[in-house]
Amino acid sequence: MTENEFILEDRIAKIQSIIKQGGEERFYLSFSGGKDSTVLHYLLDQAIPNNTIPRVFINTGIEYYMIVDFVKGLAINDNRFVILNVGKNIKKTLDEVGYPFKSKIHSSKVGQYQLGSRAKSVLDYKNRQGKSKFNCPKKLLYQYDEDFSIKLSDKCCYEFKRKPVAQYESESGRRIVLTGMRKEEGGQRFNISCIVTDKAGNIKKFHPLAVVSEQWEEWYIKEKNIKLCKLYYEPYNFKRTGCKGCPYSLDLQEQLQKMYLYLPNEAKQCELIWKPIYEEYRRI
């Protein structure tokens, strides 16, 4: 048995164990249409043949058109796919709740300060008195000035993803989410655990791919002849998808360059949606 095969057997056993423990009727797969969630979709079927676990896709309105088409294509022959159409005016919502900038921590702290909060955690971030990664970068301290007019917050994900998911969980009774998140992706995902429980020990989240590498994923895709969204192939060669043009993206500049080259209409859409943030990024 090769190392890749060993990891596969380990992940299959883990999925079978956790699904049995939690009860299949309580799980749903958070399906983004990206590489990780697509791999998990097929791995889940290999681990539990004929499972009825829903694949829930949230069409926020800022998904790549090819991602939406990919998910709709899968849904044609698989009634487990559930497409939640948010239907909110993106620009209007961002103007109301605030825009994302740099990171969720930064957007949250500055946004709370703008709304009048002077809580210790908010002031510690502003005054750079916390741990290094929880301090406001020096070059962004100007955003605490009264003449900084862009409203910031970390509520974008909540409005367009968490809210519709919470409603789905309430209506369906399925409250344990499966995701394709991997530690190797870095950022906030570096510290994720395979299993997340509440205080009572009940499973809330299950990340079966948390411990696998990109190399293993590529092996599995080739081994099972899995077809991904077109964005992952020539000439696009996307490494990640998610909400297009998101200001939190570490590779935002590269992402926009590709969009201007191959997806000009979507690039223009991003420039409109995220206009004040893009302008600020370019200014500084």
Side-chain angles (χ1 to χ4, degrees), residues 221-271:
I221 290 168
K222 186 177 181 180
E223 184 77 8
K224 298 299 177 183
N225 193 28
I226 294 171
K227 302 301 180 186
L228 304 174
C229 172
K230 292 179 181 178
L231 287 174
Y232 289 93
Y233 304 109
E234 293 285 352
Y236 314 103
N237 293 318
F238 274 64
K239 294 179 181 178
R240 296 183 68 178
T241 48
C243 295
K244 57 190 171 190
C246 175
Y248 290 150
S249 297
L250 297 177
D251 63 344
L252 177 59
Q253 187 171 346
E254 179 184 350
Q255 196 179 127
L256 286 172
Q257 288 173 344
K258 287 185 177 181
M259 276 194 276
Y260 272 113
L261 188 59
Y262 302 114
L263 310 167
N265 289 335
E266 294 187 69
K268 291 177 183 177
Q269 181 191 19
C270 288
E271 291 288 353

Short mmCIF file of all heavy atoms in Angstrom, two decimals, residues 221-271:
data_model
loop_
_atom_site.label_atom_id
_atom_site.label_comp_id
_atom_site.label_asym_id
_atom_site.label_seq_id
_atom_site.Cartn_x
_atom_site.Cartn_y
_atom_site.Cartn_z
N ILE A 221 -7.61 13.21 -7.30
CA ILE A 221 -8.32 13.71 -8.47
C ILE A 221 -7.95 12.89 -9.71
O ILE A 221 -8.83 12.50 -10.49
CB ILE A 221 -8.00 15.21 -8.69
CG1 ILE A 221 -8.65 16.05 -7.58
CG2 ILE A 221 -8.47 15.68 -10.06
CD1 ILE A 221 -8.15 17.48 -7.54
N LYS A 222 -6.67 12.61 -9.86
CA LYS A 222 -6.20 11.83 -11.00
C LYS A 222 -6.65 10.37 -10.88
O LYS A 222 -7.09 9.77 -11.86
CB LYS A 222 -4.67 11.90 -11.10
CG LYS A 222 -4.10 11.22 -12.34
CD LYS A 222 -2.59 11.42 -12.41
CE LYS A 222 -2.01 10.75 -13.65
NZ LYS A 222 -0.54 10.94 -13.73
N GLU A 223 -6.56 9.83 -9.67
CA GLU A 223 -6.93 8.43 -9.42
C GLU A 223 -8.40 8.18 -9.72
O GLU A 223 -8.76 7.13 -10.29
CB GLU A 223 -6.63 8.09 -7.95
CG GLU A 223 -6.87 6.65 -7.57
CD GLU A 223 -5.77 5.71 -8.04
OE1 GLU A 223 -4.72 6.20 -8.55
OE2 GLU A 223 -5.96 4.49 -7.89
N LYS A 224 -9.25 9.12 -9.37
CA LYS A 224 -10.70 8.96 -9.54
C LYS A 224 -11.23 9.67 -10.79
O LYS A 224 -12.45 9.67 -11.03
CB LYS A 224 -11.43 9.48 -8.30
CG LYS A 224 -11.08 8.74 -7.02
CD LYS A 224 -11.44 7.27 -7.10
CE LYS A 224 -11.04 6.51 -5.86
NZ LYS A 224 -11.32 5.06 -5.97
N ASN A 225 -10.32 10.27 -11.55
CA ASN A 225 -10.70 10.98 -12.78
C ASN A 225 -11.80 12.01 -12.50
O ASN A 225 -12.82 12.07 -13.19
CB ASN A 225 -11.17 9.99 -13.85
CG ASN A 225 -11.26 10.64 -15.22
OD1 ASN A 225 -10.55 11.60 -15.53
ND2 ASN A 225 -12.16 10.14 -16.06
N ILE A 226 -11.57 12.81 -11.46
CA ILE A 226 -12.55 13.81 -11.05
C ILE A 226 -12.45 15.05 -11.94
O ILE A 226 -11.37 15.57 -12.19
CB ILE A 226 -12.32 14.21 -9.58
CG1 ILE A 226 -12.61 13.01 -8.67
CG2 ILE A 226 -13.19 15.41 -9.18
CD1 ILE A 226 -12.22 13.22 -7.22
N LYS A 227 -13.59 15.52 -12.39
CA LYS A 227 -13.64 16.73 -13.21
C LYS A 227 -13.96 17.93 -12.33
O LYS A 227 -14.97 17.95 -11.63
CB LYS A 227 -14.70 16.59 -14.30
CG LYS A 227 -14.49 15.40 -15.24
CD LYS A 227 -13.14 15.48 -15.94
CE LYS A 227 -12.93 14.28 -16.86
NZ LYS A 227 -11.56 14.27 -17.46
N LEU A 228 -13.08 18.90 -12.35
CA LEU A 228 -13.27 20.12 -11.58
C LEU A 228 -13.92 21.20 -12.44
O LEU A 228 -14.09 21.03 -13.65
CB LEU A 228 -11.93 20.63 -11.06
CG LEU A 228 -11.10 19.66 -10.21
CD1 LEU A 228 -9.73 20.28 -9.91
CD2 LEU A 228 -11.81 19.32 -8.91
N CYS A 229 -14.24 22.31 -11.82
CA CYS A 229 -14.73 23.48 -12.57
C CYS A 229 -13.66 23.92 -13.57
O CYS A 229 -12.45 23.80 -13.32
CB CYS A 229 -15.02 24.61 -11.59
SG CYS A 229 -15.42 26.20 -12.37
N LYS A 230 -14.07 24.44 -14.71
CA LYS A 230 -13.15 24.84 -15.78
C LYS A 230 -12.09 25.86 -15.32
O LYS A 230 -11.02 25.96 -15.93
CB LYS A 230 -13.94 25.43 -16.95
CG LYS A 230 -14.81 24.43 -17.70
CD LYS A 230 -15.58 25.11 -18.81
CE LYS A 230 -16.47 24.11 -19.55
NZ LYS A 230 -17.26 24.78 -20.61
N LEU A 231 -12.39 26.59 -14.26
CA LEU A 231 -11.46 27.61 -13.79
C LEU A 231 -10.12 27.02 -13.33
O LEU A 231 -9.11 27.72 -13.27
CB LEU A 231 -12.06 28.41 -12.63
CG LEU A 231 -13.17 29.41 -12.99
CD1 LEU A 231 -13.75 30.02 -11.73
CD2 LEU A 231 -12.65 30.50 -13.91
N TYR A 232 -10.11 25.72 -13.03
CA TYR A 232 -8.89 25.08 -12.55
C TYR A 232 -8.00 24.56 -13.68
O TYR A 232 -6.92 24.03 -13.42
CB TYR A 232 -9.23 23.93 -11.59
CG TYR A 232 -9.76 24.42 -10.26
CD1 TYR A 232 -11.12 24.56 -10.04
CD2 TYR A 232 -8.88 24.78 -9.23
CE1 TYR A 232 -11.60 25.03 -8.82
CE2 TYR A 232 -9.36 25.25 -8.02
CZ TYR A 232 -10.72 25.37 -7.82
OH TYR A 232 -11.19 25.84 -6.62
N TYR A 233 -8.45 24.74 -14.91
CA TYR A 233 -7.68 24.25 -16.06
C TYR A 233 -7.22 25.41 -16.93
O TYR A 233 -7.56 26.57 -16.70
CB TYR A 233 -8.54 23.28 -16.88
CG TYR A 233 -9.09 22.11 -16.08
CD1 TYR A 233 -10.44 22.03 -15.76
CD2 TYR A 233 -8.24 21.09 -15.64
CE1 TYR A 233 -10.94 20.96 -15.02
CE2 TYR A 233 -8.73 20.01 -14.91
CZ TYR A 233 -10.08 19.95 -14.60
OH TYR A 233 -10.57 18.90 -13.88
N GLU A 234 -6.41 25.07 -17.95
CA GLU A 234 -5.96 26.07 -18.91
C GLU A 234 -7.18 26.72 -19.59
O GLU A 234 -8.17 26.06 -19.86
CB GLU A 234 -5.09 25.40 -19.99
CG GLU A 234 -3.77 24.86 -19.49
CD GLU A 234 -2.75 25.96 -19.23
OE1 GLU A 234 -3.03 27.13 -19.58
OE2 GLU A 234 -1.70 25.66 -18.66
N PRO A 235 -7.12 28.02 -19.87
CA PRO A 235 -6.01 28.94 -19.64
C PRO A 235 -6.07 29.65 -18.28
O PRO A 235 -5.22 30.47 -17.97
CB PRO A 235 -6.19 29.96 -20.76
CG PRO A 235 -7.69 30.07 -20.89
CD PRO A 235 -8.21 28.67 -20.63
N TYR A 236 -7.08 29.32 -17.45
CA TYR A 236 -7.31 30.08 -16.23
C TYR A 236 -6.35 29.69 -15.10
O TYR A 236 -5.76 30.54 -14.45
CB TYR A 236 -8.76 29.87 -15.77
CG TYR A 236 -9.76 30.01 -16.89
CD1 TYR A 236 -10.35 28.87 -17.46
CD2 TYR A 236 -10.11 31.25 -17.41
CE1 TYR A 236 -11.26 28.98 -18.50
CE2 TYR A 236 -11.01 31.37 -18.45
CZ TYR A 236 -11.58 30.23 -18.99
OH TYR A 236 -12.47 30.33 -20.03
N ASN A 237 -6.23 28.39 -14.86
CA ASN A 237 -5.30 27.87 -13.83
C ASN A 237 -5.49 28.50 -12.45
O ASN A 237 -4.52 28.85 -11.78
CB ASN A 237 -3.85 28.06 -14.29
CG ASN A 237 -3.51 27.20 -15.49
OD1 ASN A 237 -3.91 26.04 -15.55
ND2 ASN A 237 -2.80 27.76 -16.44
N PHE A 238 -6.75 28.64 -12.03
CA PHE A 238 -7.01 29.16 -10.70
C PHE A 238 -6.57 28.14 -9.65
O PHE A 238 -6.72 26.93 -9.85
CB PHE A 238 -8.51 29.44 -10.52
CG PHE A 238 -8.94 30.80 -10.98
CD1 PHE A 238 -8.84 31.17 -12.32
CD2 PHE A 238 -9.46 31.72 -10.09
CE1 PHE A 238 -9.25 32.42 -12.75
CE2 PHE A 238 -9.86 32.98 -10.49
CZ PHE A 238 -9.76 33.33 -11.84
N LYS A 239 -6.02 28.61 -8.55
CA LYS A 239 -5.65 27.74 -7.44
C LYS A 239 -6.77 27.69 -6.40
O LYS A 239 -6.96 26.68 -5.73
CB LYS A 239 -4.35 28.23 -6.80
CG LYS A 239 -3.15 28.12 -7.73
CD LYS A 239 -1.89 28.65 -7.07
CE LYS A 239 -0.71 28.55 -8.02
NZ LYS A 239 0.54 29.12 -7.41
N ARG A 240 -7.49 28.80 -6.29
CA ARG A 240 -8.64 28.88 -5.38
C ARG A 240 -9.71 29.73 -6.04
O ARG A 240 -9.42 30.55 -6.91
CB ARG A 240 -8.23 29.50 -4.03
CG ARG A 240 -7.23 28.69 -3.25
CD ARG A 240 -6.92 29.31 -1.91
NE ARG A 240 -8.08 29.26 -1.02
CZ ARG A 240 -8.07 29.70 0.23
NH1 ARG A 240 -6.98 30.24 0.73
NH2 ARG A 240 -9.15 29.61 0.99
N THR A 241 -10.94 29.54 -5.59
CA THR A 241 -12.02 30.33 -6.17
C THR A 241 -12.68 31.17 -5.06
O THR A 241 -12.13 32.17 -4.64
CB THR A 241 -13.04 29.43 -6.89
OG1 THR A 241 -13.39 28.33 -6.04
CG2 THR A 241 -12.43 28.87 -8.18
N GLY A 242 -13.84 30.76 -4.55
CA GLY A 242 -14.49 31.57 -3.52
C GLY A 242 -15.16 32.79 -4.13
O GLY A 242 -15.33 32.90 -5.35
N CYS A 243 -15.55 33.74 -3.30
CA CYS A 243 -16.18 34.96 -3.80
C CYS A 243 -15.19 35.73 -4.66
O CYS A 243 -14.07 36.02 -4.23
CB CYS A 243 -16.65 35.83 -2.64
SG CYS A 243 -17.95 35.08 -1.63
N LYS A 244 -15.60 36.07 -5.85
CA LYS A 244 -14.65 36.69 -6.77
C LYS A 244 -14.29 38.12 -6.35
O LYS A 244 -15.15 38.90 -5.94
CB LYS A 244 -15.19 36.68 -8.20
CG LYS A 244 -16.52 37.36 -8.41
CD LYS A 244 -17.04 37.06 -9.81
CE LYS A 244 -18.47 37.52 -9.99
NZ LYS A 244 -19.06 37.04 -11.25
N GLY A 245 -13.01 38.38 -6.43
CA GLY A 245 -12.52 39.72 -6.11
C GLY A 245 -12.57 40.07 -4.65
O GLY A 245 -12.42 41.25 -4.28
N CYS A 246 -12.74 39.07 -3.77
CA CYS A 246 -12.86 39.36 -2.33
C CYS A 246 -11.63 40.12 -1.83
O CYS A 246 -10.50 39.70 -2.06
CB CYS A 246 -13.02 38.06 -1.56
SG CYS A 246 -13.02 38.30 0.25
N PRO A 247 -11.83 41.24 -1.13
CA PRO A 247 -10.70 42.03 -0.62
C PRO A 247 -9.82 41.30 0.37
O PRO A 247 -8.72 41.73 0.66
CB PRO A 247 -11.39 43.23 0.05
CG PRO A 247 -12.69 43.36 -0.67
CD PRO A 247 -13.11 41.95 -0.95
N TYR A 248 -10.30 40.18 0.93
CA TYR A 248 -9.49 39.40 1.85
C TYR A 248 -8.50 38.47 1.13
O TYR A 248 -7.58 37.95 1.75
CB TYR A 248 -10.37 38.51 2.73
CG TYR A 248 -11.19 39.24 3.77
CD1 TYR A 248 -12.43 38.73 4.18
CD2 TYR A 248 -10.76 40.42 4.35
CE1 TYR A 248 -13.19 39.37 5.14
CE2 TYR A 248 -11.52 41.08 5.29
CZ TYR A 248 -12.75 40.55 5.70
OH TYR A 248 -13.50 41.19 6.64
N SER A 249 -8.69 38.25 -0.16
CA SER A 249 -7.87 37.29 -0.91
C SER A 249 -6.40 37.69 -0.91
O SER A 249 -6.05 38.83 -1.24
CB SER A 249 -8.35 37.16 -2.35
OG SER A 249 -9.67 36.67 -2.40
N LEU A 250 -5.54 36.75 -0.56
CA LEU A 250 -4.10 37.02 -0.53
C LEU A 250 -3.54 37.19 -1.94
O LEU A 250 -2.53 37.86 -2.13
CB LEU A 250 -3.37 35.87 0.18
CG LEU A 250 -3.73 35.68 1.66
CD1 LEU A 250 -3.00 34.47 2.23
CD2 LEU A 250 -3.39 36.92 2.48
N ASP A 251 -4.20 36.56 -2.91
CA ASP A 251 -3.74 36.65 -4.30
C ASP A 251 -4.67 37.52 -5.13
O ASP A 251 -4.88 37.27 -6.32
CB ASP A 251 -3.61 35.26 -4.92
CG ASP A 251 -4.95 34.54 -4.99
OD1 ASP A 251 -5.91 34.98 -4.30
OD2 ASP A 251 -5.07 33.54 -5.74
N LEU A 252 -5.24 38.55 -4.51
CA LEU A 252 -6.24 39.40 -5.18
C LEU A 252 -5.73 39.99 -6.48
O LEU A 252 -6.42 39.99 -7.51
CB LEU A 252 -6.70 40.51 -4.24
CG LEU A 252 -7.70 41.52 -4.82
CD1 LEU A 252 -8.96 40.82 -5.29
CD2 LEU A 252 -8.04 42.58 -3.77
N GLN A 253 -4.50 40.51 -6.47
CA GLN A 253 -3.97 41.15 -7.67
C GLN A 253 -3.87 40.15 -8.83
O GLN A 253 -4.27 40.45 -9.96
CB GLN A 253 -2.59 41.75 -7.39
CG GLN A 253 -2.05 42.58 -8.55
CD GLN A 253 -0.79 43.35 -8.18
OE1 GLN A 253 -0.46 43.47 -7.01
NE2 GLN A 253 -0.09 43.86 -9.16
N GLU A 254 -3.37 38.97 -8.54
CA GLU A 254 -3.25 37.93 -9.56
C GLU A 254 -4.64 37.52 -10.06
O GLU A 254 -4.85 37.29 -11.26
CB GLU A 254 -2.52 36.72 -9.00
CG GLU A 254 -2.37 35.57 -9.98
CD GLU A 254 -1.72 34.34 -9.37
OE1 GLU A 254 -1.23 34.44 -8.23
OE2 GLU A 254 -1.73 33.28 -10.01
N GLN A 255 -5.57 37.43 -9.13
CA GLN A 255 -6.95 37.05 -9.46
C GLN A 255 -7.57 38.06 -10.42
O GLN A 255 -8.19 37.70 -11.43
CB GLN A 255 -7.75 36.98 -8.15
CG GLN A 255 -9.07 36.26 -8.24
CD GLN A 255 -9.78 36.24 -6.89
OE1 GLN A 255 -10.94 36.65 -6.81
NE2 GLN A 255 -9.12 35.80 -5.85
N LEU A 256 -7.38 39.34 -10.12
CA LEU A 256 -7.95 40.40 -10.97
C LEU A 256 -7.28 40.42 -12.35
O LEU A 256 -7.94 40.65 -13.37
CB LEU A 256 -7.80 41.75 -10.29
CG LEU A 256 -8.75 42.02 -9.12
CD1 LEU A 256 -8.38 43.31 -8.41
CD2 LEU A 256 -10.20 42.08 -9.61
N GLN A 257 -5.99 40.18 -12.37
CA GLN A 257 -5.28 40.15 -13.65
C GLN A 257 -5.84 39.06 -14.56
O GLN A 257 -6.03 39.27 -15.77
CB GLN A 257 -3.78 39.94 -13.42
CG GLN A 257 -3.07 41.15 -12.85
CD GLN A 257 -1.63 40.88 -12.46
OE1 GLN A 257 -1.22 39.72 -12.34
NE2 GLN A 257 -0.85 41.93 -12.26
N LYS A 258 -6.10 37.90 -13.97
CA LYS A 258 -6.68 36.80 -14.76
C LYS A 258 -8.08 37.14 -15.23
O LYS A 258 -8.47 36.82 -16.35
CB LYS A 258 -6.71 35.52 -13.92
CG LYS A 258 -5.34 34.88 -13.73
CD LYS A 258 -5.45 33.56 -13.01
CE LYS A 258 -4.08 32.90 -12.88
NZ LYS A 258 -4.15 31.59 -12.19
N MET A 259 -8.85 37.79 -14.36
CA MET A 259 -10.21 38.16 -14.74
C MET A 259 -10.21 39.17 -15.88
O MET A 259 -11.00 39.07 -16.82
CB MET A 259 -10.96 38.72 -13.54
CG MET A 259 -11.58 37.64 -12.66
SD MET A 259 -12.80 38.30 -11.49
CE MET A 259 -11.72 38.82 -10.18
N TYR A 260 -9.31 40.17 -15.81
CA TYR A 260 -9.25 41.16 -16.89
C TYR A 260 -8.85 40.52 -18.21
O TYR A 260 -9.30 40.94 -19.28
CB TYR A 260 -8.27 42.28 -16.53
CG TYR A 260 -8.92 43.40 -15.75
CD1 TYR A 260 -8.57 43.63 -14.42
CD2 TYR A 260 -9.89 44.19 -16.33
CE1 TYR A 260 -9.18 44.65 -13.69
CE2 TYR A 260 -10.51 45.21 -15.62
CZ TYR A 260 -10.15 45.43 -14.30
OH TYR A 260 -10.77 46.43 -13.60
N LEU A 261 -8.04 39.48 -18.12
CA LEU A 261 -7.56 38.80 -19.33
C LEU A 261 -8.60 37.85 -19.91
O LEU A 261 -8.84 37.84 -21.12
CB LEU A 261 -6.28 38.02 -19.00
CG LEU A 261 -5.53 37.39 -20.18
CD1 LEU A 261 -5.12 38.45 -21.19
CD2 LEU A 261 -4.30 36.63 -19.65
N TYR A 262 -9.26 37.06 -19.03
CA TYR A 262 -10.16 36.01 -19.51
C TYR A 262 -11.63 36.22 -19.16
O TYR A 262 -12.51 35.66 -19.82
CB TYR A 262 -9.73 34.65 -18.92
CG TYR A 262 -8.31 34.27 -19.26
CD1 TYR A 262 -7.34 34.18 -18.26
CD2 TYR A 262 -7.92 34.00 -20.57
CE1 TYR A 262 -6.04 33.82 -18.55
CE2 TYR A 262 -6.61 33.64 -20.87
CZ TYR A 262 -5.68 33.55 -19.85
OH TYR A 262 -4.39 33.19 -20.15
N LEU A 263 -11.90 37.01 -18.12
CA LEU A 263 -13.28 37.21 -17.67
C LEU A 263 -13.54 38.70 -17.45
O LEU A 263 -13.83 39.15 -16.35
CB LEU A 263 -13.50 36.46 -16.34
CG LEU A 263 -13.05 34.99 -16.29
CD1 LEU A 263 -13.03 34.49 -14.85
CD2 LEU A 263 -13.97 34.13 -17.15
N PRO A 264 -13.41 39.50 -18.51
CA PRO A 264 -13.49 40.96 -18.36
C PRO A 264 -14.79 41.47 -17.76
O PRO A 264 -14.77 42.45 -17.00
CB PRO A 264 -13.29 41.46 -19.80
CG PRO A 264 -13.63 40.29 -20.68
CD PRO A 264 -13.21 39.10 -19.92
N ASN A 265 -15.90 40.84 -18.07
CA ASN A 265 -17.18 41.30 -17.52
C ASN A 265 -17.24 41.08 -16.00
O ASN A 265 -17.79 41.91 -15.27
CB ASN A 265 -18.35 40.58 -18.19
CG ASN A 265 -18.56 41.03 -19.63
OD1 ASN A 265 -18.19 42.15 -19.99
ND2 ASN A 265 -19.14 40.18 -20.45
N GLU A 266 -16.64 39.99 -15.55
CA GLU A 266 -16.63 39.72 -14.12
C GLU A 266 -15.64 40.64 -13.41
O GLU A 266 -15.85 41.02 -12.26
CB GLU A 266 -16.32 38.25 -13.87
CG GLU A 266 -17.43 37.33 -14.39
CD GLU A 266 -17.24 35.88 -14.03
OE1 GLU A 266 -17.36 35.53 -12.84
OE2 GLU A 266 -16.98 35.08 -14.95
N ALA A 267 -14.57 41.00 -14.09
CA ALA A 267 -13.62 41.96 -13.52
C ALA A 267 -14.30 43.31 -13.31
O ALA A 267 -14.13 43.96 -12.27
CB ALA A 267 -12.41 42.11 -14.45
N LYS A 268 -15.10 43.72 -14.29
CA LYS A 268 -15.82 44.99 -14.18
C LYS A 268 -16.84 44.94 -13.04
O LYS A 268 -17.04 45.92 -12.32
CB LYS A 268 -16.53 45.31 -15.50
CG LYS A 268 -15.58 45.64 -16.64
CD LYS A 268 -16.34 45.86 -17.93
CE LYS A 268 -15.37 46.13 -19.09
NZ LYS A 268 -16.10 46.29 -20.38
N GLN A 269 -17.47 43.78 -12.87
CA GLN A 269 -18.41 43.61 -11.78
C GLN A 269 -17.71 43.78 -10.43
O GLN A 269 -18.23 44.45 -9.53
CB GLN A 269 -19.07 42.23 -11.86
CG GLN A 269 -20.10 41.98 -10.77
CD GLN A 269 -20.55 40.53 -10.70
OE1 GLN A 269 -19.88 39.64 -11.19
NE2 GLN A 269 -21.69 40.29 -10.08
N CYS A 270 -16.52 43.20 -10.32
CA CYS A 270 -15.75 43.33 -9.08
C CYS A 270 -15.35 44.77 -8.81
O CYS A 270 -15.40 45.24 -7.67
CB CYS A 270 -14.50 42.45 -9.15
SG CYS A 270 -14.83 40.68 -9.04
N GLU A 271 -14.96 45.48 -9.85
CA GLU A 271 -14.56 46.88 -9.69
C GLU A 271 -15.73 47.71 -9.20
O GLU A 271 -15.55 48.68 -8.44
CB GLU A 271 -14.03 47.43 -11.02
CG GLU A 271 -12.71 46.85 -11.47
CD GLU A 271 -11.52 47.33 -10.64
OE1 GLU A 271 -11.69 48.24 -9.79
OE2 GLU A 271 -10.41 46.81 -10.86
#
